[in-house]
Amino acid sequence: EKETAYCMPIATKARKAGIAVEIYPDAVKMKKQMSYANNNGVRFVALAGENEMNEEKITLKDMTSGEQHLVTADELITIVNGEN
């Protein structure tokens, strides 16, 4: 619940920047969430756990290359919009 609460303002900001955003609706294991992203052709996945919340950042994973970066919400928008 706290991860979802943390992600909601970031998702809203990304949507306002023209990025399509989904928040996985169920508390399930990460593997299932990643499978969902792969099966639906999602290019980027944003992950937020304790570490990210403590640093006020998000881990952005490129599902094509597998690269991950710890970024701010603004950096996430710049990266994702740069790939569209």
Side-chain angles (χ1 to χ4, degrees):
E1 288 181 21
K2 63 183 172 179
E3 287 89 353
T4 300
Y6 176 78
C7 290
M8 290 304 292
I10 297 167
T12 299
K13 188 172 189 174
R15 286 181 181 123
K16 286 180 181 178
I19 299 169
V21 176
E22 280 186 62
I23 294 180
Y24 198 86
D26 300 315
V28 296
K29 294 189 186 269
M30 188 64 61
K31 184 174 181 176
K32 184 171 183 175
Q33 294 177 45
M34 292 298 162
S35 292
Y36 174 85
N38 274 328
N39 292 338
N40 288 283
V42 173
R43 171 72 192 274
F44 292 99
V45 174
L47 310 166
E50 285 293 325
N51 293 338
E52 288 83 1
M53 290 187 295
N54 289 337
E55 293 189 42
E56 297 183 5
K57 294 192 175 183
I58 297 270
T59 295
L60 183 65
K61 179 172 182 165
D62 183 327
M63 297 298 284
T64 303
S65 68
E67 291 182 29
Q68 294 186 166
H69 301 283
L70 189 62
V71 298
T72 65
D74 288 337
E75 291 169 331
L76 177 148
I77 290 167
T78 298
I79 293 167
V80 174
N81 275 338
E83 296 294 327
N84 289 338

